[in-house]
Amino acid sequence: YIFIDGILADKFLEIFRNKIKEGVAVRIIYDAVGSWELSRDLIARYQEIGVEIIPFMPVRFGRLARLNYRNHRKILVIDGEIGFTGGINIDDKYILDNDALGHWSDTHLKIEGMGVNFLHFVFLSDWLFVSKENLIKPSMFRILDPVGDTPLQIVSSGPDADYPNILQQYLYILYQAKKYVYIVNPYLVPDSNLSMAIKTVALSGIDVRIIVPSKSESPIIHYTIQSYFSRFLNAGVKIYLFNGGFIHSKVILSDDAICSIGTANLDIRSFEQNFEINALIYDEETTLTMKEQYYTFQADSSLLTLKEHAARSNSERIKEKLSRLSSPLM
């Protein structure tokens, strides 16, 4: 989604330069809006060494409607054998602290085995869309030996899908929970379906916890997220405000049995307008690992009580109401 100039982009450039000399093909899709700050100079430097680099739905004058359909996926596939997905973009904020938000924390997943083929298929489908080159051929996919015994499902969604797959995935995890659901996500702007599910599960006595950043990238985002707190706190949801910088992870886990790591936020844009991808893992060991990571994030967070939230000023409440008007656009 975000691919911009900086130390990381230059490191990738050097790696690709060496790999292309070895005969490796390198293809990059970057989102035209998310990568708005990507310079023409860097694009030219990538093209000069032989990288095929193409924007996803470039925005041109007279076609501003395309602002609504962005490729928010983060996919890296190597030789059809190793795949990566999660929240991390190619952006120096991951290695250099942001002046306003501090350290940027995220969660990313390395995948080996047959699951890589599904990541690869999604990338090649996007490549067909942006380049008109059809690489979806049997020779591009491999029958890979199992690596461990972890069941994994790749879930993709977008405005071209018949169903809101990732929204349905989140609803499934919530409604099947018997003990707990832990969520960490930077953008808590749920639609009515997800909002109802979160409240219903919490009201049934299940331990529902949500970690969100204490600071956001803009005041509008901050107050829009905050406008949802009352309904969740009243239902018994525990809301933690992350103070260790900015948390960008998109993780949900439940009952030591299932967890999801991916790109989709808890907002209307992710469910209806963006092209997203998550990895859904049905495994106790992996879920327990993510649970420990969750507790690490929680230790850097402060628990927001209903009493504290109710004591906010009238000006805060007005800002929430005004910002909430923009929630369908987030």
Side-chain angles (χ1 to χ4, degrees), residues 16 20 71 97 113-114 142-143 145 149 153 171 176 202 220 267 284 297 299 305 307:
F16 293 155
I20 288 170
N71 195 321
D97 287 354
M114 288 298 289
R142 302 189 178 187
I143 299 176
D145 293 332
D149 56 1
Q153 180 182 8
L171 293 175
Q176 62 81 43
I220 292 178
D267 59 14
E284 180 181 7
F297 289 147
T305 67
K307 182 178 179 180

Side-chain angles (χ1 to χ4, degrees), residues 51-271:
V51 174
E52 297 179 69
I53 180 168
I54 303 177
F56 185 91
M57 293 182 70
V59 178
R60 298 186 178 91
F61 183 76
R63 304 174 78 177
L64 293 181
R66 285 189 166 189
L67 286 169
N68 280 333
Y69 303 110
R70 306 319 320 164
N71 195 321
H72 195 245
R73 294 167 178 156
K74 292 88 173 161
I75 298 173
L76 174 61
V77 177
I78 304 165
D79 291 341
E81 297 180 357
I82 299 172
F84 292 87
T85 193
I88 295 179
N89 295 289
I90 309 302
D91 189 335
D92 284 357
K93 64 183 64 172
Y94 290 100
I95 57 174
L96 303 174
D97 287 354
N98 182 280
D99 291 339
L101 299 176
H103 181 72
W104 201 279
S105 297
D106 217 323
T107 303
H108 221 64
L109 183 68
K110 178 182 178 182
I111 300 171
E112 296 180 84
M114 288 298 289
V116 178
N117 281 320
F118 295 93
L119 278 182
H120 201 185
F121 177 80
V122 174
F123 176 86
L124 293 180
S125 298
D126 288 345
W127 185 259
L128 173 61
F129 178 75
V130 299
S131 72
K132 312 307 177 189
E133 180 185 13
N134 188 2
L135 298 175
I136 305 174
K137 303 171 184 177
S139 60
M140 294 295 287
F141 302 97
R142 302 189 178 187
I143 299 176
L144 301 169
D145 293 332
V147 179
D149 56 1
T150 303
L152 177 142
Q153 180 182 8
I154 298 299
V155 183
S156 65
S157 68
D160 59 339
D162 293 331
Y163 300 98
N165 298 326
I166 286 179
L167 171 59
Q168 291 174 324
Q169 173 209 332
Y170 287 158
L171 293 175
Y172 164 75
I173 293 174
L174 281 158
Y175 282 127
Q176 62 81 43
K178 294 179 175 60
K179 297 178 181 178
Y180 75 85
V181 179
Y182 294 169
I183 298 168
V184 54
N185 203 286
Y187 304 107
L188 179 65
V189 189
D191 71 349
S192 58
N193 293 303
L194 186 61
S195 181
M196 178 61 72
I198 292 172
K199 290 186 294 181
T200 300
V201 172
L203 286 167
S204 71
I206 290 168
D207 182 11
V208 180
R209 306 182 189 186
I210 304 175
I211 298 175
V212 296
S214 61
K215 296 180 290 185
S216 294
E217 297 153 285
S218 77
I220 292 178
I221 294 174
H222 173 77
Y223 287 112
T224 301
I225 294 171
Q226 192 167 291
S227 71
Y228 288 85
F229 287 172
S230 292
R231 64 178 64 185
F232 293 138
L233 290 170
N234 276 301
V237 176
K238 299 181 182 71
I239 295 176
Y240 292 86
L241 303 178
F242 184 74
N243 299 313
F246 184 76
I247 192 157
H248 193 250
S249 300
K250 300 95 164 50
V251 175
I252 178 170
L253 57 147
S254 175
D255 291 355
D256 298 349
I258 186 170
C259 68
S260 170
I261 301 168
T263 70
N265 295 308
L266 299 178
D267 59 14
I268 298 167
R269 180 173 290 278
S270 286
F271 300 147

